[in-house]
Amino acid sequence: MKAFPAGAKAPMQQASQAQAQAARLLQPPTRPRLLAPAPRAPARAPRPELLEEFPTVAQLVGNTPVVRLQHLPGDTTNIVLAKLEGHNPAGSAKDRPALHMLSEAERRGQIQKGDTIIEATSGNTGIALAMAAAIKGYKLKLILPASSSEERKATMAAYGAEVILADSMEAARDMLLDMERKGLGHCLDQYNNEDNTASHYTTTGPEIWRQTKGKVTHLVSSMGTFGTIMGSGRYLKEQNPGIQVVGLQPSEAVQIPGIRRWKPEYVPRLFKKEGVDRIMDITAREAEETARALARVEGVFAGISGAGAVSAALRLSAELEDAVIVAVVCDRGDRYLSTGVFDEAAGASDPAPAPAAEFHSALARLLHAHAGPHYVLFTDGDAPPAGAMAAARGIVEAGRGKVLEVRVGDDLELINLRQSIKRRYDFTLPSGPTLVAWTKAGPGNALCGGGLDSCCSSEQAVALLRKFLRETWDEPAGAGGGWGEADHGAWVEHWVYDGLGV
């Protein structure tokens, strides 16, 4: 029998193993055993009726309140209302177009979650877009003027937006176009986007109509992108063509946050001239004074542009009877705290010398922000009052009174001012420099200064001025007693002699 080396296999055994291996290769491959998937927890969500009961932030945009101003309108048959857009979740009227523009761009397939949005803004639109982008999951780059308040910049950043500063609003728009050409993001273009106007046509306008029960006669709105005034105004005029739409813009070379006086080449396409019945100019001083007066007299903490709209509404009220005037108050005053507008020192000189156009709103602030005495000094041109008129002002202010100086620039302005005063107060304003005693009940006696300037140191001037002040003086702040007290007349005499230097 043949012996095999240790470890070697016999030929028969080798053949058997080879056959078994071939058989295994011919068999179909055995599929690996699959483990059963782990059971997935069912999707969890509140009951539908609970979802409807508790709104999201986006659902709170709009339906802002309308309040009646109680004091600043004064003695009038008109109702002056303020629509408080600061009650929107991100604090301004811009919440409406910001959310609507994003939603409509999504619906049209122009953007999708995760995209980058870029926009040029003066402030409120940026904050509103930052909120809307956070809600919907978009990245956001905002270009705004460096002059924007610190509160606005910080609020945008808090919502997660990237803030880019430009020298001016025009420069911000140019920078936006350049970024869009480079493909750095999708521009919603609030200045030319009809969704901006549509947001106010479908919400703000109907709200005003409903809240006033269709009695609104005048809409006053500051003009920036023109979305608010164009959308709301168009809706209201469709309900009643007689409603007057009044736009507000800054005076020449004046900057007011949220309001623009557009250069012709930059006017947004949203603006339709036929949609505005009247445009009024406003100075920064008037808007800021009205903002302080609204807070201190009405308890309405309004931003500067919204306060400007209220001031324009007060001017209109002086021209009208039985009107219902709605002023759109675009945002809240807390966005302007760092500017110092609401500091106590900022209002120390209120009311400052006012142009004739601002007389009625300035008078309203004087009467309701200061206890008295109150006098109105009408002067011609830009020159400060001289002679006895200047002396009278000094005497009143020394006695803790306030004098509103109104400067009339030209004959047409004087005619308009006299007509409006006659219509509202049945008072004929004399010609030339005039000092008028004024109370909340209306104008009283007037002291004409034309004949006094030439004899301001004479006994005649002293006697006339003393008599005028004695007979027209309101109760001084902090003084007690009535006019019958002997020392009261002595105070007036003392102020007269000190003021005239005799």
Side-chain angles (χ1 to χ4, degrees):
M1 186 174 183
K2 187 176 179 179
F4 294 94
K9 296 181 179 178
M12 291 290 293
Q13 186 180 3
Q14 289 177 336
S16 175
Q17 289 176 345
Q19 291 174 353
Q21 183 177 4
R24 283 198 300 272
L25 292 173
L26 293 174
Q27 291 179 353
T30 303
R31 295 184 177 180
R33 182 181 178 186
L34 299 178
L35 297 177
R40 299 180 63 180
R44 298 174 61 81
R47 297 194 303 274
E49 61 271 20
L50 290 180
L51 289 177
E52 295 176 2
E53 186 173 349
F54 300 103
T56 65
V57 171
Q59 291 170 320
L60 292 178
V61 173
N63 290 310
T64 55
V66 164
V67 298
R68 177 173 56 85
L69 300 185
Q70 304 177 74
H71 305 297
L72 288 178
D75 185 13
T76 177
T77 61
N78 302 317
I79 296 293
V80 180
L81 303 172
K83 186 159 177 64
L84 305 182
E85 288 295 283
H87 283 242
N88 280 303
S92 81
K94 298 299 185 181
D95 288 17
R96 301 173 187 264
L99 193 61
H100 191 68
M101 288 189 298
L102 273 179
S103 299
E104 288 301 291
E106 278 182 337
R107 184 184 62 80
R108 291 190 289 262
Q110 296 171 325
I111 57 174
Q112 58 184 357
K113 184 177 180 179
D115 286 351
T116 297
I117 307 297
I118 54 176
E119 189 59 80
T121 170
S122 61
N124 280 333
T125 299
I127 294 172
L129 276 174
M131 176 197 71
I135 293 171
K136 289 180 164 290
Y138 290 93
K139 301 172 186 176
L140 182 63
K141 295 182 179 182
L142 295 170
I143 313 164
L144 62 154
S147 60
S148 300
S149 69
E150 293 302 317
E151 289 89 348
R152 294 189 179 198
K153 300 172 191 174
T155 304
M156 295 175 202
Y159 278 118
E162 178 184 345
V163 176
I164 303 169
L165 301 181
D167 292 337
S168 65
M169 195 63 237
E170 288 79 7
R173 291 187 67 188
D174 292 340
M175 191 181 299
L176 170 68
L177 295 175
D178 183 60
M179 291 177 68
E180 188 178 27
R181 281 193 296 267
K182 294 177 180 177
L184 299 179
H186 178 85
C187 173
L188 294 174
D189 191 11
Q190 61 166 326
Y191 297 97
N192 301 295
N193 191 332
E194 290 293 341
D195 293 331
N196 183 347
T197 301
S199 69
H200 294 286
Y201 177 82
T202 57
T203 63
T204 315
E207 288 171 27
I208 292 172
W209 183 255
R210 182 179 69 252
Q211 290 166 322
T212 63
K213 298 180 173 59
K215 297 177 181 178
V216 56
T217 60
H218 294 75
L219 172 71
V220 184
S221 174
S222 298
M223 298 190 299
T225 66
F226 298 103
T228 304
I229 193 168
M230 291 289 107
S232 305
R234 179 159 63 92
Y235 177 87
L236 292 174
K237 278 184 171 292
E238 287 178 359
Q239 312 313 306
N240 177 6
I243 292 175
Q244 295 290 291
V245 176
V246 180
L248 193 66
Q249 66 180 5
S251 302
E252 292 282 359
V254 169
Q255 290 188 350
I256 301 176
I259 317 179
R260 301 290 301 164
R261 188 184 188 96
W262 290 100
K263 297 178 181 177
E265 62 270 24
Y266 284 99
V267 174
R269 289 198 300 270
L270 292 184
F271 178 64
K272 305 293 188 295
K273 186 177 180 180
E274 64 276 11
V276 180
D277 298 292
R278 179 176 176 181
I279 295 178
M280 301 175 71
D281 286 6
I282 188 171
T283 62
R285 191 210 68 252
E286 182 181 4
E288 291 170 2
E289 284 186 11
T290 305
R292 289 189 286 270
L294 279 170
R296 297 169 186 176
V297 178
E298 296 283 357
V300 174
F301 198 23
I304 310 305
S305 61
V310 171
S311 190
L314 294 175
R315 289 197 217 167
L316 281 175
S317 180
E319 304 173 2
L320 304 168
E321 293 289 341
D322 302 316
V324 177
I325 307 167
V326 178
V328 179
V329 178
C330 310
D331 61 1
R332 301 188 306 261
D334 53 6
R335 294 211 166 140
Y336 306 88
L337 289 173
S338 66
T339 66
V341 167
F342 294 99
D343 293 351
E344 184 176 356
S349 61
D350 290 353
E358 301 176 11
F359 164 69
H360 293 287
S361 58
L363 177 65
R365 297 192 297 273
L366 169 69
L367 295 177
H368 294 280
H370 182 69
H374 314 106
Y375 288 86
V376 182
L377 178 57
F378 296 94
T379 61
D380 296 327
D382 297 327
M389 290 293 96
R393 178 170 190 157
I395 294 168
V396 172
E397 291 177 348
R400 298 186 295 266
K402 283 281 189 179
V403 177
L404 168 63
E405 181 186 339
V406 180
R407 296 181 180 176
V408 182
D410 54 43
D411 291 341
L412 179 59
E413 195 173 42
L414 176 60
I415 291 171
N416 291 335
L417 176 62
R418 296 181 75 177
Q419 287 178 346
S420 67
I421 291 176
K422 179 67 175 177
R423 178 170 52 249
R424 179 160 188 176
Y425 300 105
D426 193 26
F427 175 76
T428 301
L429 179 65
S431 301
T434 305
L435 184 67
V436 182
W438 216 295
T439 68
K440 291 182 180 180
N445 292 331
L447 177 64
C448 301
L452 291 175
D453 287 342
S454 60
C455 57
C456 62
S457 61
S458 69
E459 288 290 336
Q460 178 187 2
V462 172
L464 183 59
L465 184 54
R466 183 194 303 128
K467 183 175 186 294
F468 176 76
L469 292 175
R470 182 181 290 116
E471 293 181 354
T472 59
W473 197 272
D474 291 333
E475 188 70 7
W483 282 110
E485 296 182 4
D487 60 347
H488 200 150
W491 293 344
V492 176
E493 183 172 333
H494 173 70
W495 291 327
V496 168
Y497 276 88
D498 282 352
L500 293 179
V502 296

